[in-house]
Amino acid sequence: MKDKAAIKKMIEELKTLKTDDMYLNDFFHTWKESDDEIEAVFEVAEILRAMRENNISTKVFDSGLGISVFRDNSTRTRFSFTSACNLLGLAVQDLDENKSQIAHGETVRETANMISFMADVIGIRDDMYIGKGHTYQKTVATAVQEGYDDGILEQRPTIVNLQCDIDHPTQCMADMMHIINHFGGVENLKGKKVAMTWAYSPSYGKPLSVPQGVIGLFTRFGMDVVLAHPEGYNVMPEIEEVAKENAAKCGGSYQRVNSMEEAFQDADIVYPKSWAPFAVMEERTKIVENGDQAALKDLEKKCLATNAQFKNWTCTEDLMKTTKEGKALYLHCLPADITGVSCKEGEVEASVFDRYLVPLYKQASYKPYVIAAMIFLAKFQSPSAKLEELLEQATKRVL
Amino acid sequence: MKDKAAIKKMIEELKTLKTDDMYLNDFFHTWKESDDEIEAVFEVAEILRAMRENNISTKVFDSGLGISVFRDNSTRTRFSFTSACNLLGLAVQDLDENKSQIAHGETVRETANMISFMADVIGIRDDMYIGKGHTYQKTVATAVQEGYDDGILEQRPTIVNLQCDIDHPTQCMADMMHIINHFGGVENLKGKKVAMTWAYSPSYGKPLSVPQGVIGLFTRFGMDVVLAHPEGYNVMPEIEEVAKENAAKCGGSYQRVNSMEEAFQDADIVYPKSWAPFAVMEERTKIVENGDQAALKDLEKKCLATNAQFKNWTCTEDLMKTTKEGKALYLHCLPADITGVSCKEGEVEASVFDRYLVPLYKQASYKPYVIAAMIFLAKFQSPSAKLEELLEQATKRVL
Amino acid sequence: MKDKAAIKKMIEELKTLKTDDMYLNDFFHTWKESDDEIEAVFEVAEILRAMRENNISTKVFDSGLGISVFRDNSTRTRFSFTSACNLLGLAVQDLDENKSQIAHGETVRETANMISFMADVIGIRDDMYIGKGHTYQKTVATAVQEGYDDGILEQRPTIVNLQCDIDHPTQCMADMMHIINHFGGVENLKGKKVAMTWAYSPSYGKPLSVPQGVIGLFTRFGMDVVLAHPEGYNVMPEIEEVAKENAAKCGGSYQRVNSMEEAFQDADIVYPKSWAPFAVMEERTKIVENGDQAALKDLEKKCLATNAQFKNWTCTEDLMKTTKEGKALYLHCLPADITGVSCKEGEVEASVFDRYLVPLYKQASYKPYVIAAMIFLAKFQSPSAKLEELLEQATKRVL
């Protein structure tokens, strides 16, 4: 556990980072953030965690609301968002679209304002349809900005992307914090090989945001990132471009292969996970828009049949043995499809999954702090000064 | 933005108002409150808003619950109530009647006590059935009063009417605050013409509480209030009586006309909105009580057909031009049925609605403060002393 | 109302009780707790109540979450848990299994960790299936203990049993506090006769946890506890063993009879309430596991027919007259099936129920404090020192 001296040191490090552009801004995609900004999120997350471990309250809000909008079922992200808000002093109010009469299109602006009179943050998860999730989040952001400029809102709520169709920044940054801690520091990551690979699952239509988020973020740390998937299971080409540019700039590499074996060979980190092909997700979005239930059934049938050809894309003990010293760090955003446990044939063998249970749960444990850090950096022009103030007053979290 | 000196001045004004009867009492209908009491709600709401704008915490509760009971879907009111509670330091617990086994009739008393052991306020929205909503709220109020008198409850939760079958006080008082601010003070309202008019909507059965609340409240400010609707779309006669009495006492006027054009002519304020005739709402309540689905369908069909005869009752640009200098303040409680946007033919033309977007959102922004003020005045025998205390301690809302 | 001096006296009494084993532990069944521990729950509950009555804040958490898991509809228990958490400073986040994709079996461990990163307490109600509820709660407890030991969780959330298939400790301890207060102190209970009796209800399948909890707890106070039910309506034999052992140790008695009349004769306390036979609950659990809807219907039909033979098992005025001086204290966990009110024929006559309304509501009012006391004792190694600290700082609950 880090002590107060360690916390002070981290605050000093934070002071060297430029975070002005995060102030009163939103967090959508990691690649829109500068290296300083990404580092600042990690730093603030670590500081908040260390303060909590030292029983020091990090409540910067005496009152205020965090609004959650989940357009899909959620446990992990819901609890992470609630935890982050609570850690900072915000109460959570869920916008339950079933209990409200939320209008679409033209009136997103109206809803955004109506829920924001006392909102300091709005966390949105909307990952189901290609071309929709991020667009919706941007629309909300524009609406509350206008509301703030027009004097309707007394404060400008920050939008935090809790998963969209393009990126899953709170997940991938939690993953990255886990990696940094596991390998003993960001300076040890240079040259490490990461295998982000597709894996078979008995379901179809899982979002692309995790593989995209991973290649878009992990390529910024000088690592050799390999994306592996069966032919046809491509991610969005724009994000591959981001990954290539990152790699070129940061001294690592990015490549795509069509074999899980090749990706796992000597890998330091493996992230085997199912997703749907980008093209399928686009088709599905159109079908849903047209409300064509028969076509949706057909698509599902066709996709499951295609998926079934790749049941051998699964993270076995044998494959794990081919990784660096047979001990690659196994990652998953959870829940995983575990062969013989949650399904007949899935993404990972039970013995592999079980062996990594503790690190997997630790991986997840960073998410509340990542979200809290994103909020913190959007709310304070000088985050280091505020953290010093919290440290100084040292209110106990538990009496 | 009002500064501390302005806040102090408002607190001085508050001291001149008699609010003793609000202490440990409920807020059901505006016409049951004295002029001082109505003014006190506006004053406290403005003070709370100004304190928040100055980053001064208004948390008067260190712990405690605000209970929400919504017997109808709700976004706006739900968020307003949550915001108000949070502003004062209360956590919100929703009584979700689907997740509970709430009994009716004889056991409202039981439920009321069971949810109130640590409740400081209960906000209730129950607006669907004539003769039901207010009765339910009164039953809850009686039950918690008895519970308090019998030593079951350690505190007497205040009931706040978040909309009933008769009045919608938090809406109409927010509307009024908007008007006061728009026209630069309550002293400027004398002689202003208000047109509360029916408007066509493709739905039927919208509550009467807004038009009734408006004529019951707006007639207290020396304004000339005109209620306009097609023949047969009457509101409750008792409330028209209230409006007439108010007008007689306050030096304004109240009249009813059967033409939107007549109402809009030279109006300073227009409030075009759909509602169902009182007689229809009574019939509907009986049908629902009997559980006669076929009769309900018939009623709906009949009403929609009747409604359809009055599609020309819509707020057009042409009509707006006939108002005072063509610039009447357009009001709506939202969401509105906007022609060509949320429906084919509705209450208002899109261009009119769009032009008033900012004022409409501002109108809505007063509601959380109105609710908070109602709670505040019910909780403190000397509200001004408590506000001075808050101002003195000046705890920051955001660090 | 108890004043500060009385509170100090209670804190002194608390100091004489050994509660070390409660620290960082869970609360499942009363019979797993020592006499000191049971007494400490009552003592802390009374202290928290008295502090609240004196407007002294008992917020020991500056931030933190209380997680609620209700696998069955609930009003009373939900509000009690929320109240308890709020009283101590925790925000409540509900784990709504319909809005999440909670896995069963192997992954309860995963869910338990995922919701617990910032959880200080998890309250669970899972009472529907014999052999399931307690097992689930234990699995969650084991999972969070492992998570804490493995460094995943920074704090060890306490599990509070809000009702399982075996015991309902928060209910029965609230019942007991009510009895102690009613009779003017625990020292007055020796030799009092308690009749825990089955009563007819038009439903079937009500949980056994209340009668079991009552005989398992009430036999510890030197009272003569009689369990009465029609033949075949047995409770779990293990719990009868607990009751017998308690009675032997504490100088009271425990016996089972097959007549309501015999049980009521000269009773000081009566608790007539419906439940399903243990054997039926076991059968039902198996049927539900097999998903056999037809068998479930059959079972229900059979049980209702059996129940119907015992409609005379109802708490009438005539029966009440046979109790000690005709004035036994009538208890119920609510809601009751009241003849002619909530059903045609039920557990109790309306006039009896009505006469006891105030004491019944008081009985319920202890539950939030019992839950808060259980949390408090699990969180602080020296609860008396913390209570003294709260008393010393004397932060006002309401300004």
Side-chain angles (χ1 to χ4, degrees):
Chain A
M1 197 182 80
K2 289 176 179 101
D3 64 5
K4 277 201 176 190
I7 295 172
K8 277 184 185 164
K9 198 165 153 273
M10 290 190 286
I11 296 177
E12 291 307 315
E13 286 163 9
L14 179 63
K15 284 181 187 169
T16 68
L17 302 173
K18 193 172 148 38
T19 62
D20 311 63
D21 285 354
M22 302 183 90
Y23 181 56
L24 298 184
N25 218 327
D26 308 303
F27 203 108
F28 294 121
H29 303 144
T30 61
W31 45 86
K32 296 292 170 58
E33 307 289 320
S34 73
D35 289 347
D36 267 20
E37 289 164 357
I38 294 290
E39 197 180 330
V41 171
F42 294 144
E43 200 79 75
V44 172
E46 291 283 7
I47 293 167
L48 293 174
R49 183 165 203 154
M51 287 175 76
R52 193 174 189 279
E53 286 171 350
N54 282 275
N55 201 29
I56 297 168
S57 168
T58 54
K59 270 180 73 171
V60 284
F61 295 99
D62 188 64
S63 69
L65 296 179
I67 312 296
S68 58
V69 185
F70 288 94
R71 311 189 108 185
D72 197 6
N73 284 338
S74 169
T75 309
R76 271 148 260 272
T77 304
R78 186 181 291 278
F79 275 77
S80 290
F81 182 71
T82 296
S83 297
C85 286
N86 177 264
L87 186 70
L88 300 177
L90 298 172
V92 173
Q93 174 65 44
D94 191 41
L95 176 64
D96 185 335
E97 294 179 304
N98 296 321
K99 289 194 183 175
S100 62
Q101 303 134 305
I102 297 304
H104 295 283
E106 290 74 10
T107 54
V108 170
R109 182 175 176 191
E110 187 169 310
T111 306
N113 275 279
M114 294 303 118
I115 63 177
S116 295
F117 295 131
M118 296 197 188
D120 288 296
V121 58
I122 305 176
I124 307 177
R125 179 172 169 185
D126 186 355
D127 59 345
M128 297 301 283
Y129 305 111
I130 285 292
K132 302 281 173 186
H134 175 57
T135 306
Y136 173 73
Q137 293 186 12
K138 283 290 285 186
T139 311
V140 173
T142 306
V144 295
Q145 183 63 50
E146 286 176 358
Y148 181 63
D149 293 342
D150 291 337
I152 294 158
L153 304 180
E154 283 149 23
Q155 72 297 319
R156 187 346 190 139
T158 294
I159 313 301
V160 174
N161 173 9
L162 298 177
Q163 188 167 6
C164 72
D165 50 329
I166 302 176
D167 193 9
H168 193 345
T170 63
Q171 178 65 48
C172 299
M173 291 194 69
D175 298 342
M176 198 63 216
M177 276 188 83
H178 176 52
I179 293 172
I180 293 171
N181 276 284
H182 180 83
F183 288 103
V186 72
E187 61 278 11
N188 300 328
L189 301 186
K190 223 159 219 13
K192 292 273 182 292
K193 182 178 175 186
V194 183
M196 175 77 235
T197 88
W198 190 87
Y200 173 75
S201 149
S203 77
Y204 97 106
K206 295 205 177 178
L208 291 153
S209 52
V210 168
Q212 292 178 167
V214 163
I215 65 168
L217 179 66
F218 287 19
T219 44
R220 296 174 78 161
F221 297 86
M223 299 198 283
D224 296 316
V225 177
V226 179
L227 178 73
H229 58 72
E231 229 165 311
Y233 284 78
N234 295 64
V235 302
M236 291 169 73
E238 305 90 294
I239 313 305
E240 288 211 78
E241 281 313 305
V242 167
K244 281 175 205 162
E245 280 166 35
N246 282 345
K249 208 159 42 185
C250 306
S253 67
Y254 170 74
Q255 60 166 324
R256 176 150 55 94
V257 301
N258 284 330
S259 144
M260 201 169 182
E261 285 72 20
E262 189 180 341
F264 266 57
Q265 188 65 47
D266 286 321
D268 297 277
I269 298 158
V270 296
Y271 206 142
K273 200 210 159 295
S274 178
W275 68 80
F278 171 53
V280 165
M281 291 301 258
E282 280 194 313
E283 197 181 337
R284 184 163 168 263
T285 301
K286 273 179 212 149
I287 291 171
V288 170
E289 275 181 331
N290 298 333
D292 187 342
Q293 291 300 320
L296 199 62
K297 279 255 175 238
D298 280 353
L299 179 69
E300 183 174 358
K301 209 173 154 187
K302 196 180 73 181
C303 290
L304 288 176
T306 312
N307 273 8
Q309 298 171 30
F310 305 108
K311 288 193 180 175
N312 58 329
W313 284 70
T314 183
C315 181
T316 60
E317 289 286 8
D318 282 348
L319 258 184
M320 285 304 288
K321 280 185 196 130
T322 69
T323 65
K324 180 71 69 57
E325 297 171 18
K327 289 191 206 163
L329 180 64
Y330 168 82
L331 300 182
H332 201 285
C333 53
L334 305 178
D337 289 316
I338 308 160
T339 301
V341 177
S342 48
C343 58
K344 206 172 143 235
E345 292 161 302
E347 298 167 318
V348 60
E349 258 182 37
S351 66
V352 174
F353 189 82
D354 279 355
R355 192 145 35 84
Y356 286 92
L357 224 47
V358 170
L360 280 168
Y361 293 175
K362 276 190 185 158
Q363 177 186 352
S365 75
Y366 291 101
K367 205 190 270 181
Y369 293 106
V370 165
I371 298 172
M374 288 173 180
I375 299 171
F376 200 98
L377 286 158
K379 288 297 161 185
F380 300 111
Q381 203 152 13
S382 173
S384 55
K386 289 296 157 185
L387 290 164
E388 279 171 340
E389 213 172 321
L390 287 171
L391 197 62
E392 184 71 28
Q393 70 189 31
T395 307
K396 288 180 180 177
R397 183 185 82 82
V398 187
L399 190 68
Chain B
M1 198 181 79
K2 290 177 178 101
D3 64 5
K4 278 200 176 189
I7 296 172
K8 278 184 186 164
K9 197 166 155 271
M10 290 190 286
I11 296 177
E12 290 308 315
E13 286 163 9
L14 180 62
K15 286 180 188 169
T16 67
L17 303 173
K18 193 171 147 39
T19 63
D20 311 63
D21 284 353
M22 302 183 91
Y23 181 55
L24 298 184
N25 218 325
D26 308 303
F27 203 108
F28 294 121
H29 302 144
T30 60
W31 44 88
K32 297 291 170 59
E33 308 289 320
S34 73
D35 289 346
D36 267 19
E37 289 164 357
I38 294 291
E39 196 180 332
V41 172
F42 293 144
E43 198 80 74
V44 172
E46 291 283 8
I47 292 167
L48 292 174
R49 182 164 204 156
M51 287 175 76
R52 193 175 189 277
E53 286 171 349
N54 283 274
N55 201 30
I56 297 168
S57 168
T58 54
K59 270 180 74 170
V60 284
F61 296 99
D62 188 64
S63 69
L65 296 179
I67 312 297
S68 58
V69 185
F70 288 94
R71 312 190 106 184
D72 196 6
N73 284 337
S74 168
T75 308
R76 271 148 261 273
T77 304
R78 187 180 291 276
F79 274 77
S80 290
F81 182 70
T82 296
S83 297
C85 285
N86 177 265
L87 187 71
L88 300 178
L90 298 173
V92 173
Q93 175 65 44
D94 190 43
L95 175 65
D96 185 336
E97 294 179 304
N98 296 320
K99 290 194 182 175
S100 62
Q101 303 135 304
I102 298 305
H104 295 282
E106 290 75 9
T107 55
V108 170
R109 183 176 175 189
E110 188 169 309
T111 305
N113 274 278
M114 294 302 119
I115 64 176
S116 295
F117 296 131
M118 296 199 187
D120 288 296
V121 58
I122 305 176
I124 307 177
R125 179 172 166 183
D126 186 355
D127 58 346
M128 297 300 285
Y129 306 111
I130 285 292
K132 302 281 173 184
H134 175 57
T135 306
Y136 174 74
Q137 294 186 11
K138 282 291 283 186
T139 311
V140 172
T142 306
V144 295
Q145 183 64 50
E146 286 175 358
Y148 181 64
D149 293 342
D150 291 337
I152 294 158
L153 305 179
E154 283 150 23
Q155 72 297 319
R156 198 319 203 157
T158 293
I159 313 301
V160 174
N161 174 9
L162 299 177
Q163 188 167 7
C164 71
D165 50 329
I166 301 175
D167 193 8
H168 194 344
T170 63
Q171 178 65 48
C172 298
M173 291 194 68
D175 298 343
M176 199 63 214
M177 274 188 84
H178 175 54
I179 292 172
I180 293 170
N181 276 284
H182 180 84
F183 288 101
V186 73
E187 62 278 10
N188 299 328
L189 301 186
K190 222 159 225 357
K192 292 271 182 292
K193 180 178 176 187
V194 183
M196 176 77 235
T197 87
W198 190 86
Y200 172 76
S201 150
S203 76
Y204 97 106
K206 294 206 177 179
L208 291 154
S209 52
V210 168
Q212 291 177 169
V214 163
I215 64 169
L217 178 66
F218 288 19
T219 43
R220 296 174 78 160
F221 297 87
M223 300 196 284
D224 296 315
V225 177
V226 179
L227 179 72
H229 58 73
E231 227 164 316
Y233 284 77
N234 295 63
V235 301
M236 292 169 72
E238 304 90 294
I239 314 305
E240 289 211 76
E241 281 314 305
V242 167
K244 281 176 204 160
E245 281 166 34
N246 282 343
K249 205 159 44 183
C250 306
S253 67
Y254 170 76
Q255 60 167 322
R256 177 149 56 91
V257 301
N258 284 329
S259 143
M260 200 169 184
E261 285 71 21
E262 188 179 343
F264 266 56
Q265 188 65 47
D266 287 321
D268 297 277
I269 298 159
V270 296
Y271 206 142
K273 202 209 157 295
S274 178
W275 68 79
F278 171 53
V280 165
M281 291 301 259
E282 280 195 312
E283 197 182 338
R284 184 163 168 263
T285 301
K286 273 179 210 149
I287 291 172
V288 169
E289 274 180 332
N290 298 333
D292 188 342
Q293 290 301 319
L296 199 61
K297 279 254 175 238
D298 280 353
L299 179 69
E300 184 174 357
K301 209 172 153 186
K302 195 180 73 181
C303 289
L304 288 177
T306 313
N307 273 8
Q309 299 170 29
F310 305 108
K311 288 192 180 176
N312 58 328
W313 284 68
T314 183
C315 180
T316 60
E317 289 286 7
D318 282 349
L319 259 183
M320 284 304 288
K321 279 186 197 131
T322 69
T323 66
K324 180 70 68 59
E325 296 171 19
K327 289 191 203 164
L329 180 65
Y330 168 83
L331 301 182
H332 201 284
C333 54
L334 304 180
D337 289 316
I338 309 161
T339 301
V341 177
S342 48
C343 58
K344 206 170 143 235
E345 292 162 301
E347 297 167 318
V348 59
E349 258 183 36
S351 66
V352 174
F353 189 82
D354 280 354
R355 192 145 36 84
Y356 286 92
L357 224 48
V358 170
L360 280 168
Y361 294 174
K362 275 191 186 157
Q363 177 186 353
S365 75
Y366 292 102
K367 205 191 268 181
Y369 294 106
V370 164
I371 298 172
M374 289 172 179
I375 300 171
F376 200 98
L377 287 158
K379 289 297 161 184
F380 300 110
Q381 203 152 13
S382 173
S384 56
K386 290 296 158 185
L387 289 165
E388 279 172 338
E389 214 173 319
L390 287 172
L391 198 61
E392 184 71 28
Q393 69 188 32
T395 306
K396 288 180 180 177
R397 183 185 81 82
V398 186
L399 190 67
Chain C
M1 197 182 78
K2 288 174 179 102
D3 64 5
K4 277 200 176 190
I7 296 172
K8 277 184 186 164
K9 196 164 155 274
M10 290 190 285
I11 295 177
E12 290 308 314
E13 286 162 9
L14 179 63
K15 284 181 188 170
T16 67
L17 303 173
K18 194 172 146 37
T19 63
D20 311 64
D21 284 353
M22 302 184 90
Y23 181 55
L24 297 184
N25 218 327
D26 307 304
F27 204 108
F28 294 121
H29 302 145
T30 60
W31 44 87
K32 296 292 170 60
E33 308 289 321
S34 73
D35 290 347
D36 267 21
E37 289 164 357
I38 293 291
E39 195 180 332
V41 171
F42 293 144
E43 198 80 75
V44 172
E46 291 282 8
I47 292 167
L48 293 174
R49 183 165 203 154
M51 287 175 75
R52 193 175 189 279
E53 285 171 351
N54 282 275
N55 201 30
I56 297 168
S57 168
T58 54
K59 269 181 75 171
V60 284
F61 296 98
D62 187 63
S63 69
L65 296 179
I67 312 296
S68 59
V69 185
F70 288 92
R71 310 189 107 184
D72 198 5
N73 285 337
S74 169
T75 308
R76 272 147 259 271
T77 305
R78 186 180 291 277
F79 274 77
S80 290
F81 183 70
T82 295
S83 296
C85 285
N86 178 264
L87 187 70
L88 300 178
L90 299 173
V92 173
Q93 174 65 44
D94 191 42
L95 175 65
D96 184 335
E97 294 179 304
N98 295 323
K99 289 194 184 176
S100 63
Q101 303 135 304
I102 297 304
H104 296 283
E106 290 75 8
T107 55
V108 170
R109 183 174 175 192
E110 188 169 309
T111 305
N113 274 279
M114 294 303 118
I115 63 176
S116 294
F117 296 130
M118 297 197 186
D120 288 296
V121 58
I122 305 176
I124 307 177
R125 178 172 169 184
D126 186 356
D127 59 345
M128 296 300 285
Y129 305 112
I130 285 292
K132 302 280 173 186
H134 176 57
T135 306
Y136 173 74
Q137 294 186 11
K138 282 290 282 186
T139 310
V140 172
T142 306
V144 295
Q145 183 63 51
E146 286 175 358
Y148 180 63
D149 293 341
D150 291 337
I152 294 157
L153 304 180
E154 283 148 23
Q155 72 296 320
R156 187 348 190 138
T158 294
I159 313 301
V160 174
N161 174 8
L162 298 177
Q163 188 166 6
C164 72
D165 51 327
I166 302 176
D167 193 10
H168 194 345
T170 63
Q171 178 65 50
C172 298
M173 291 194 68
D175 298 343
M176 198 63 214
M177 276 188 82
H178 175 53
I179 292 172
I180 293 170
N181 276 285
H182 180 84
F183 288 101
V186 72
E187 62 278 10
N188 300 329
L189 301 186
K190 223 161 219 10
K192 290 273 181 295
K193 180 178 176 186
V194 183
M196 175 77 236
T197 87
W198 190 87
Y200 172 75
S201 150
S203 76
Y204 97 106
K206 294 206 177 178
L208 292 153
S209 52
V210 167
Q212 292 178 166
V214 163
I215 64 169
L217 178 66
F218 287 19
T219 43
R220 296 174 77 161
F221 297 86
M223 299 196 284
D224 297 316
V225 177
V226 179
L227 179 72
H229 57 74
E231 228 165 315
Y233 283 78
N234 295 62
V235 301
M236 291 169 73
E238 305 91 293
I239 313 306
E240 289 211 76
E241 281 315 305
V242 167
K244 281 176 204 162
E245 281 167 34
N246 282 344
K249 207 159 44 184
C250 306
S253 66
Y254 170 75
Q255 60 167 322
R256 178 149 55 92
V257 301
N258 285 329
S259 143
M260 201 169 182
E261 285 71 20
E262 188 179 343
F264 266 57
Q265 188 65 47
D266 286 321
D268 297 277
I269 298 159
V270 296
Y271 206 142
K273 201 209 157 296
S274 178
W275 67 80
F278 171 51
V280 165
M281 290 301 256
E282 279 195 312
E283 197 182 337
R284 184 162 168 263
T285 301
K286 274 179 210 149
I287 291 171
V288 170
E289 274 181 332
N290 298 333
D292 188 342
Q293 291 300 320
L296 199 62
K297 280 255 174 237
D298 279 354
L299 179 69
E300 183 173 357
K301 208 172 152 187
K302 196 180 74 183
C303 290
L304 288 176
T306 313
N307 272 8
Q309 298 170 30
F310 305 107
K311 288 193 180 176
N312 58 329
W313 284 69
T314 183
C315 181
T316 60
E317 289 286 7
D318 282 348
L319 259 183
M320 285 304 288
K321 280 185 196 132
T322 69
T323 65
K324 180 71 67 61
E325 297 170 17
K327 288 190 205 166
L329 181 64
Y330 167 83
L331 301 182
H332 201 286
C333 54
L334 305 179
D337 289 315
I338 308 160
T339 301
V341 177
S342 47
C343 58
K344 206 170 144 237
E345 292 161 302
E347 298 167 317
V348 59
E349 259 183 36
S351 67
V352 174
F353 189 82
D354 279 355
R355 190 146 36 83
Y356 285 92
L357 223 48
V358 170
L360 280 168
Y361 294 175
K362 276 190 185 158
Q363 176 186 355
S365 75
Y366 291 102
K367 205 191 269 181
Y369 294 106
V370 164
I371 298 172
M374 288 173 179
I375 300 172
F376 200 98
L377 286 158
K379 289 296 161 185
F380 300 110
Q381 203 152 12
S382 174
S384 55
K386 290 295 158 185
L387 289 164
E388 279 171 339
E389 214 173 320
L390 287 172
L391 198 61
E392 183 71 27
Q393 70 189 29
T395 306
K396 287 181 180 176
R397 184 185 82 82
V398 186
L399 189 68

